[in-house]
Amino acid sequence: MTNHLVFEVGTALLLVSIGALLAGRLKFSIIPFLILLGMFVGPHAPKIGIFDFTFIQSSEIIEFFGRIGVLFLLFYLGLEFSVGKLIRSGRSIVIGGTIYVVLNFTLGLVYGFVVGFPVMETLIIAGLVSVSSSAIVAKVLVDLKRTANSETELILGIILFDDIFLALFLSVMSGLLLSGSTTIIGTLISVCISLGYMLLFFVIARKGTPLLNKLLNIKSNEIFILVVFASLFFIAGISEKLHVAEAIGALLLGLVFSETEHRERIEHMVMPFRDFFGALFFFSFGLSIDPFSLGGAVWLALGAVILTILSNLIAGLISGRKAGLSYKAASNIGLTIVSRGEFSIIVANLGLAGGLMPILKPFTAVYVLILAIIGPLLTKESKNIYNMLNKIFKWDQSKTQKKSDRSITKKNNEKGIETDL
């Protein structure tokens, strides 16, 4: 097997490049392309006649690609995350984010119990349906030139709030699933260790910034990136030893570095690695999926997809209206944040690492594939969807009527006519 190691890596990179080029040509999210490619050429790939599509067979490579990809994705997320940024973003974002997370998580819990999943599996299902794909959402907003729209600030705020929820959720679930404890007290201790570990990094981010600024004041880019990467992998390894998900360690380190004056330099140097290993993460996820195992998860995933679209639209409408936005802008929020991707897969992988039901993998694969494809389309067609909904709920009509009533009142007042309007 080792004799073919370079060939396997080269084949994987070539296929990922083809998937990326194809996605770019179609101006679409790269995520579903890479997952499908991985499924098509992985260990479970079908053999059609004399053609054997099983090019990638090394389980070590599959696992390595996935783990490195997760570390870079979460590390970069941590660099973008800031408690201060959330506080400065305003009350409407906190309210909107809370509505979004609570509604999605609650409906996810209900769905998990209704379809008969055990408690832990239900919690994982609720978690993975609650986290939107920051990568897809950001890309769609840029591609559709909606960054200046009135609702975009709230969309980004909800995404940020969702990321905070993800960090807390992963910390708690790491304590529950990875500690190996079978007693209630032992489980509570593990959860407390996870939360305490997370709190420690928050303290370091707030109090240790001056020292970190000095330590990272390195002129050589070569040495600088070596120090950053060494810190990343070391902290991820320490986290794993403490039964905290290594991805959480990466996120927390990113959070610490985000408070330093070197944040932009780190972002600039890490971004290519994030994109490279992030692409390999989705590809490796596809490699680990048996296409013939998807059948049993299709209907489960379709139900979750329908629930997610409805809950996102409702959450977007409520959040947008509470923030004083129009019904059209509010509906755009719900239709933009419906995409699911990297973080749903990370949540599912945590459940699988904790020994939960294997069906979580095909369920997540189908769920992410559908929403990674449908999500951008819903955003693109948001105007037509709003017009269709408006015909049913008469939002614009009631708005026009109110304007007309105010206009009549104003004219009558100018003429000295009393009115009951």
Side-chain angles (χ1 to χ4, degrees), residues 54-75:
T54 311
F55 295 111
I56 311 297
Q57 297 183 351
S58 172
S59 59
E60 292 83 4
I61 289 180
I62 294 172
E63 183 181 1
F64 181 75
F65 282 175
R67 292 177 72 176
I68 298 300
V70 169
L71 293 184
F72 276 102
L73 283 168
L74 269 294
F75 179 64

Side-chain angles (χ1 to χ4, degrees), residues 5-249:
L5 192 63
V6 175
F7 174 73
E8 289 187 349
V9 173
T11 304
L13 294 177
L14 179 63
L15 291 169
V16 168
S17 300
I18 292 171
L21 286 170
L22 185 60
R25 288 281 185 182
L26 298 174
K27 295 182 178 179
F28 214 75
S29 168
I30 194 175
I31 293 174
F33 285 91
L34 296 181
I35 295 175
L36 288 172
L37 265 176
M39 290 167 56
F40 192 62
V41 301
H44 309 287
K47 295 179 182 179
I48 304 173
I50 62 172
F51 297 101
D52 184 357
F53 293 94
T54 311
F55 295 111
I56 311 297
Q57 297 183 351
S58 172
S59 59
E60 292 83 4
I61 289 180
I62 294 172
E63 183 181 1
F64 181 75
F65 282 175
R67 292 177 72 176
I68 298 300
V70 169
L71 293 184
F72 276 102
L73 283 168
L74 269 294
F75 179 64
Y76 195 85
L77 173 63
L79 288 172
E80 293 290 301
F81 169 72
S82 169
V83 177
K85 187 189 295 185
L86 179 69
I87 294 171
R88 291 192 299 270
S89 294
R91 179 171 168 268
S92 61
I93 288 176
V94 176
I95 294 173
T98 302
I99 292 169
Y100 178 78
V101 169
V102 169
L103 182 60
N104 279 279
F105 191 78
T106 302
L107 290 177
L109 285 176
V110 172
Y111 185 72
F113 282 121
V114 167
V115 299
F117 277 116
V119 175
M120 286 300 173
E121 281 81 356
T122 296
L123 286 171
I124 290 294
I125 293 292
L128 69 87
V129 302
S130 301
V131 285
S132 184
S133 171
S134 303
I136 298 177
V137 171
K139 188 176 188 304
V140 168
L141 288 172
V142 172
D143 290 348
L144 297 179
K145 299 178 180 178
R146 294 189 181 182
T147 53
N149 282 18
S150 59
E151 70 275 7
T152 298
E153 184 180 349
L154 183 54
I155 289 172
L156 296 176
I158 290 174
I159 292 295
L160 176 61
F161 194 92
D162 203 23
D163 293 341
I164 298 170
F165 163 76
L166 174 69
L168 291 170
F169 179 79
L170 288 176
S171 293
V172 172
M173 292 307 295
S174 292
L176 290 173
L177 293 173
L178 304 182
S179 66
S181 177
T182 56
T183 64
I184 295 176
I185 295 176
T187 301
L188 287 174
I189 290 173
S190 298
V191 171
C192 289
I193 289 173
S194 296
L195 293 176
Y197 185 67
M198 189 174 179
L199 181 62
L200 174 64
F201 278 85
F202 275 91
V203 173
I204 294 172
R206 285 297 182 186
K207 303 295 183 181
T209 303
L211 178 60
L212 287 170
N213 285 333
K214 290 180 181 179
L215 292 175
L216 292 173
N217 190 22
I218 303 168
K219 291 183 179 180
S220 169
N221 284 338
E222 180 183 3
I223 298 174
F224 182 80
I225 201 68
L226 280 172
V227 170
V228 171
F229 281 15
S231 303
L232 171 60
F233 286 96
F234 180 75
I235 292 298
I238 289 292
S239 302
E240 191 178 28
K241 288 289 184 182
L242 295 173
H243 303 296
V244 176
E246 57 188 24
I248 283 296

Side-chain angles (χ1 to χ4, degrees), residues 153 192 274 333 397 403:
E153 184 180 349
C192 289
R274 179 207 64 178
I333 294 172
Q397 198 174 73
K403 284 184 176 179

